[in-house]
Every structure is written in C-alpha cells, then in structure tokens.
Amino acid sequence: VPVSRIRNFSIIAHIDHGKSTLADRLLQETGTVADRDMKDQFLDSMELERERGITIKLQAARMSYRAADGQDYVLNLIDTPGHVDFSYEVSRSLAACEGALLVVDASQGVEAQTLANVYLALEHDLEIIPVLNKIDLPGAEPDRVIQEIEEVVGLDCSNAIFASAKTGVGVPEILAAIVQQVPPPADTVQDPLRALIFDSYYDLYRGVVVYFRVMDGSLRKGDRVKLMASGKEYELDELGVLSPTQVQVEELHAGEVGYFAAAIKAVTDARVGDTITQVKQPAAEPLPGYVEAKPMVFCGMFPTDADQFPDLRDALERLKLNDAALQFEPETSSAMGFGFRCGFLGLLHMEIVQERLEREYDLDLIITAPSVIYRVTTIKGEVVMIDNPSALPDPQQREKIEEPYVRVEMITPEEFVGTLMELGQSRRGEFRDMKYLTPGRTTLIYELPLAEVVTDFFDQMKSRSRGYASMEYQLIEYRENTLVKLDILINGDPVDSLAAIVHRDKAYYTGRALVSKLKELIPRHQFKIPLQAAIGTKVIASESIPALRKDVLAKCYGGDISRKRKLLEKQKAGKKRMKSVGRVDVPQEAFMAVLRLK
Ligand code: GTP
C-alpha cells in the first residue's frame, strides 16, 4: 500500500479502562483475527500479564481495513505498557505513531497514568482521538468525563467517540476516525534507512526478534544493518509484519511497522529506542530520544538453600536475555551468604522478576527490602553511587549524601485530599500544588524522596482513598539530606541485609518500630534472642524474643488430636521461608519488615 494509506496509532488508557478489550474488538472488526481464533485479549500474550490483568510488554498488530471511500488501508496498532515503570517504552512506542486513541472509562474519569501518557503523546505531536468507553454501564457519565478531559488536558473533545468495547458500539466509528484523523506517515522512502526499535524479545531459535517502525528509507531481507547505539551489525535473516502473528515479507518501507530476526544474542544488543540503519548507506544521525533505561530500585536476592546459587545465576542470566533493564551482580552477605544485588526500573518490575524466578524457575528466594541509589561524596571528593545500604561509607568518610527525588501526582476524589496530604507529609514530602479538575476531583502534587515512594506508598495511597486515587511519578533530581545508616543486630550480630538508610529525624522512630516488628516476625527459639537497632555504635532501640519453654508446650498440646495439629503446624512452618542468620532462623517477611511499619 502507498504510505498515504498507512495509519500508525496506539491506545492510551488507565489500567482497567478497557484498552485490551478494545484492541481485541478492532482486530475482530477488521477481520484480522477470525472470531474462532479470538483468545481473549490477543495483545496481552504473556501468562503473567494475563493473570495480573495488566499489560507489561508492548506488541503490535497490523490490520487491513476497507474505509468508507472504498480504499484499503493498513492500520498498525502499537500497544503500550500501562505502568509507570515502563514509561520509557511507552515514549518509544508513541514516537513510532502519528496518532493515539485516548480511552477513558466513562463511569470513572481521567486518572494519573492517563494524564502522564497523554502529555507524552502531545509532546510527540500525535493526533489524539478521545474515546469514552464502557458507555453500556448504567453508571456511565460520558458528558462529565468529556468535561474533565477538556478541563485537565485542554483537549478538544468535540470529536469524542462514545463506545463500548464490550458490546461493540462505536467500534466502526473508531476505525473510521483513525483513517480520517490520524495523519499518514511522512513519505521519506528515498532517505537513508532509519527504523525505531520499540520492542524486542528473545526467541530460543531465532535469537532476538526486534519490533520496529521504519521512519525513513526501506529495508529488505538479507540486508546488512547496523544498530546505531550499540554499534553492532547484523544480516537480516527474517523480515516480516505482525498480522498479528508473524508473516514474512521481502521488504518494508518508510511508514511501515514490522519485525526482524538476525541471530542477535540478547535484547541488550537491540535496545528499545535504538535506531536501525543500513551498513551500505548509513543515516547521518540516529533518531532522537534514545536512552538506556536505568534501574532505580535495588534489592538483594538470596536462595534459601545455598545449593541453589548456581540455579539462581542461570535463571537471572536467562531472564536478562529478554529484559534489557534487569541488572544483577553477585553479592556476598555475611548474614545471607551468596546471592545477587539486582536492579529494576521500579517496584512492579521487581515483583515481576521475583515472581518469574519463583514460578518459572522454581527457586526459593529470600529477598531484601528495596533500596534506591544514593550519591555519596567522600571527604576526598570522590563521588560514589551506593545501591546497597550496607555499603554506605562510614560517617567519618562522608562529606554528604544525596538521594533521588520524584514528583508525584495523585488524582483523587476531594474527600480523600486530607488523608493523602497526611501521607505525603509523613513521607518527607514537600507539597507543591493542588488543583480542582472538576467539582469533586482534585490533583495533588508532591516532591518526595524516591526511597519513601518505593516502600508502601502506592498501597497506602490506595487504601487511604479506598481505591479511588491514582498516582504517577517522575524522577526529578538528587537532593542532599541528613541520612544515616540504621543497623539491626540479631543476637548481637549486625545483619547486613537488614541495614537501612533513613533520615536522621526518623531514625529513632524507625529503629524502634523495626525492632518491635522483628520481634513479632521472628519465631521463638530455644534461647533468648536480643534484637537491637543502632546508629554506628549507639544502640537506639532494643527488644528481645523470649526463649521457648518446653513445659508451656506440654500444657498446650496434649492428646492425639492436638498432637496431630502440632505436627501439621510444624510441617507448615517447615515450608515457610527461613534463612539462618547465626543461630537464628529469620523468615522472609522479616527482611521486608521495614516496608510494614505503621
Ligand atoms: P490493562 O491491560 O490492565 O491495562 O487493562 P485494560 O485497560 O486493557 O482493560 P481491559 O480491556 O482488561 O478491561 C478491564 C475490564 O473492563 C474487563 O473486565 C473488561 O471486560 C471490562 N470492559 C472493557 N470494556 C468494557 C466496556 O465497554 N463495557 C463494560 N461494561 N466493560 C468493559
């Protein structure tokens, strides 16, 4: 097809507002996927995603569509992940499009994530088509939501489409609007090749499969191409389109979306955002906007059973083939033995990796509390980045410590403003702004240390607002603070994996709370276990876990039935994840205790 009949678009939506359902509808309506092949939510193909009902990896689909003018168009839908951890990937897939559907649940309204992505789309000059979804619901108020979109985003909604991805109402109108309103790609087929990578995944047989949009020029099967950021060269073994399953083609031109395979060994060699060009006739400049996604959140991962260390290493290496943002390096902890210090884009990314390690690789892990990267200037003037609290240089060696700050935007019904402001304050937040979006709905802006956000901020926000508030954050800068290292001693020994970096003003409180939480979480032993929190050599809080007494047990458990129960409980406890720290068995939850302080 000529470039004038190509449309490239993505869908912007808050979680659960119906993006996947609508994408499925578009595939069905255009006959791209026959009804009998239609698995629910074709685009979300990973099992984990399906279970959690969220889109993690983005993919693409090519549809053929005959418009009212009788012409056949090619519509490329580029999916975007719906979570803040992956906002760089969102920005790259938006950069591959000329337009976007803004899908908002008509019974809810604009949410923080939607806003963040709309701003990204506007930055890329995309044509935005507002879609009010779920109008079949009795609680739908499309007119109120339109007002909200106009107010907040400043977007003209006179062309908004009322739709239901569930019943199919409005779907033909959406397809027509994509053809009419989204501009065709620029016709730059004569220029040297530049193609933008917006996704890639590792395939055991073909190596990395790269998803890309041709921005300028063209490429053919067999061409030698160069990835401009990584500097590597490859020969295209396979070239194709996604309709939505992979179908091979000989050639792709400016404006088109496709995939290639070229025996690339790991996704780190073909990163999202990199530019593909021809070796023979290379482009002068890469496409703008490439950055290497950097981990922001770190934690330690240790096998409960030391024998599993090589398995853990193999599993991480395999996950890494498919996840350019995952980082890991060996870590030796005096308390925990051999493990890895791992870096992630954010908390969700961390949880996904943990879950896959446990589920797909059958590993039993002890995971330490998440930490951020601190920037420490030593008295000698050296700057070191510290991703592990136990590695913080001693106070005498430090000139200053800086920590990353984020700008958090929360959108909430008015009645929760008070409790959310309390939350912001209690997390060392600085209030920046508050605006009414529409009567009854408010946006709150805070600047907060990232360390306070990567703990349980999101859960707190959700529970305080009974699930109604949404949030979004963005890294802004490093700021200096008076931070100290809080050590935890169990049975007299400092446990490096429990060390935390906290603000001095909160150190006493945190130390006390942590020690009493540990007292709850660590089971009794045959001996008394002292627990202490210390800053340097100064103990700031202490507790102890009393020893088990045999006669107490004898009183509680007598007779056959209770003996059986005791046996059962013992078996259950055996399954609980424990790590022996010195002579003390410490359960997994204890290492996360710092996240669960009141
Ligand atoms: P993520 O993948 O988590 O980003 O969510 P999503 O935006 O893709 O939402 P999804 O399509 O999974 O829809 C969320 C829920 O809303 C599902 O239970 C859908 O069945 C339901 N849903 C989607 N569209 C409609 C609609 O038009 N009407 C009604 N009543 N329900 C809908």
Side-chain angles (χ1 to χ4, degrees), residues 19 169 172 181 228 271 283 314 363 434 447 467 516:
K19 183 175 70 169
V169 169
Q181 293 171 36
M228 296 179 85
R271 286 177 187 265
D314 291 350
L363 294 164
M434 177 171 121
E447 290 176 8
S516 69

Side-chain angles (χ1 to χ4, degrees), residues 206-507:
R206 298 177 291 170
V208 175
V209 175
V210 174
Y211 289 0
F212 60 89
R213 148 83 193 265
V214 189
M215 305 304 289
D216 310 314
S218 61
L219 73 177
R220 291 184 67 84
K221 185 175 167 182
D223 279 351
R224 246 191 117 63
V225 296
K226 178 175 179 168
L227 302 187
M228 296 179 85
S230 76
K232 304 218 164 150
E233 293 183 8
Y234 300 96
E235 188 172 305
L236 302 181
D237 298 332
E238 190 184 327
L239 186 69
V241 295
L242 306 144
S243 61
T245 46
Q246 298 177 350
V247 176
Q248 296 204 34
V249 298
E250 284 302 310
E251 195 167 359
L252 286 170
H253 302 276
E256 291 189 285
V257 173
Y259 77 93
F260 75 75
I264 302 176
K265 291 206 180 66
V267 290
T268 38
D269 294 329
R271 286 177 187 265
V272 170
D274 202 346
T275 301
I276 306 156
T277 193
Q278 296 277 8
V279 170
K280 252 196 310 203
Q281 196 200 350
E285 295 271 327
L287 295 160
Y290 175 75
V291 288
E292 214 167 275
K294 286 228 170 52
M296 302 230 279
V297 176
F298 290 78
C299 74
M301 289 192 185
F302 299 88
T304 31
D305 175 357
D307 292 345
Q308 278 198 337
F309 177 78
D311 300 337
L312 175 57
R313 187 187 51 220
D314 291 350
L316 283 168
E317 271 163 12
R318 266 200 271 163
L319 286 184
K320 173 85 187 162
L321 291 175
N322 218 349
D323 186 346
L326 171 65
Q327 267 188 8
F328 59 93
E329 55 182 40
E331 175 184 358
T332 315
S333 151
S334 57
M336 315 275 272
F338 295 107
F340 290 93
R341 191 79 191 161
C342 305
F344 309 93
L345 295 172
L347 277 192
L348 179 72
H349 185 210
M350 180 173 111
E351 278 172 30
I352 291 166
V353 171
Q354 288 169 2
E355 232 173 283
R356 296 190 64 180
L357 288 171
E358 288 172 357
R359 242 204 268 189
E360 292 168 30
Y361 296 91
D362 205 24
L363 294 164
D364 264 350
L365 302 175
I366 294 279
I367 291 152
T368 66
S371 151
V372 302
I373 303 197
Y374 296 89
R375 186 157 72 196
V376 179
T377 309
T378 66
I379 46 171
K380 289 188 191 135
E382 285 168 321
V383 176
V384 279
M385 304 304 277
I386 299 291
D387 65 30
N388 189 343
S390 69
L392 189 70
D394 287 336
Q396 306 87 301
Q397 305 297 321
R398 300 193 304 249
E399 178 72 34
K400 63 175 178 183
I401 311 182
E402 293 160 296
E403 61 178 327
Y405 266 67
V406 291
R407 181 179 181 277
V408 173
E409 174 157 18
M410 295 181 267
I411 295 187
T412 177
E414 199 177 0
E415 69 242 59
F416 305 116
V417 164
T419 173
L420 291 182
M421 286 181 82
E422 240 172 60
L423 176 64
Q425 303 299 351
S426 74
R427 300 301 164 94
R428 297 193 278 138
E430 290 165 29
F431 173 78
R432 280 286 169 273
D433 200 9
M434 177 171 121
K435 276 194 293 248
Y436 286 91
L437 300 179
T438 44
R441 299 234 307 158
T442 307
T443 163
L444 273 177
I445 295 175
Y446 271 87
E447 290 176 8
L448 292 148
L450 176 62
E452 300 278 349
V453 177
V454 299
T455 53
D456 60 343
F457 193 90
F458 182 78
D459 294 342
Q460 282 288 327
M461 178 208 72
K462 280 286 174 198
S463 79
R464 283 167 181 250
S465 67
R466 288 196 261 116
Y468 283 111
S470 63
M471 68 173 265
E472 171 69 26
Y473 67 82
Q474 188 184 358
L475 192 65
I476 44 176
E477 61 186 357
Y478 270 78
R479 289 187 194 164
E480 186 178 352
N481 269 322
T482 7
L483 301 171
V484 295
K485 182 170 139 213
L486 185 66
D487 285 313
I488 300 295
L489 293 83
I490 296 181
N491 210 15
D493 297 323
V495 181
D496 51 5
S497 301
L498 282 170
I501 294 175
V502 295
H503 195 275
R504 197 176 54 198
D505 296 346
K506 281 181 137 189

